[in-house]
Amino acid sequence: MSRIGKKPIPLPKGVTVKIGTDAVEVQGPKGKMRQAIPPGIVFAQQDSNVVATLARDDQQLRKFHGLARSLVANAVTGVTDGFKRELDIVGVGYRAELKGKQVVFALGYSHPVVFDIPNGIDIAIDKQTHVTVTGVDRQLVGQVAANIRRMRRPDPYKQKGVRYTGEVLKKKVGKTGAK
């Protein structure tokens, strides 16, 4: 059995869990999430905890035990605290601007890059160069941040582009001039 799968998921105050055969619905102060679970993994609520168990001891099923528990735990964390990913825009003239449900980026291209904000995601921009992506779905927050970073990946030579806050880049040495 999985060590992670055995751990109970504590439910904070204000969080309700509705357990179905194919999904677990979690509702909290920040929103509502529905997490699909693999067949053969059974969730049960015991006091103020949710516990994941295997329907039968099968090697194919054991693979998903810890995964299913982690997905439901992330849903509980998302509806209580939410998830956040921060990005920095580095470069002369590189900036971002929020216009309604779109973010307009100036990233050194000949045209502005328009990014549509998906449902369930909030984007905040500080000082035109710091982007904060927040939401209740961990996977969606990470994917949106990765899509924004993909617009202009950090350059290893000039260190310009969109990077995660705190990301350490390995700077490469450019060409050496003729002597």
Side-chain angles (χ1 to χ4, degrees), residues 149 154 159 163-171:
R149 184 180 184 270
Q159 304 283 302
R163 64 175 83 161
Y164 296 117
T165 300
E167 180 179 7
V168 178
L169 300 175
K170 189 172 184 181
K171 184 167 179 157

Side-chain angles (χ1 to χ4, degrees), residues 44-165:
Q45 188 169 355
Q46 298 173 353
D47 298 328
S48 64
N49 292 325
V50 176
V51 180
T53 56
L54 295 171
R56 61 188 184 284
D57 191 27
D58 182 14
Q59 185 177 2
Q60 295 297 326
L61 209 54
R62 276 186 270 156
K63 293 178 186 178
F64 299 109
H65 190 203
L67 171 72
R69 186 254 178 221
S70 294
L71 291 174
V72 173
N74 286 339
V76 170
T77 304
V79 297
T80 54
D81 301 329
F83 291 101
K84 178 169 75 167
R85 202 75 165 123
E86 296 180 358
L87 299 116
D88 289 324
I89 302 171
V90 179
V92 177
Y94 288 17
R95 62 188 174 278
E97 183 182 359
L98 195 60
K99 289 188 178 178
K101 287 294 283 175
Q102 293 180 330
V103 181
V104 180
F105 290 95
L107 297 173
Y109 297 117
S110 62
H111 59 283
V113 181
V114 179
F115 181 78
D116 294 322
I117 302 172
N119 292 333
I121 295 293
D122 294 323
I123 294 182
I125 298 173
D126 302 329
K127 296 184 263 179
Q128 296 183 336
T129 59
H130 186 77
V131 180
T132 306
V133 181
T134 56
V136 295
D137 188 358
R138 183 176 186 177
Q139 190 273 333
L140 187 59
V141 168
Q143 187 62 52
V144 168
N147 290 345
I148 292 173
R149 184 180 184 270
R150 193 178 299 131
M151 289 180 192
R152 176 69 95 174
R153 289 195 177 103
D155 180 34
Y157 297 100
K158 295 183 179 179
Q159 304 283 302
K160 298 191 321 185
V162 180
R163 64 175 83 161
Y164 296 117
T165 300

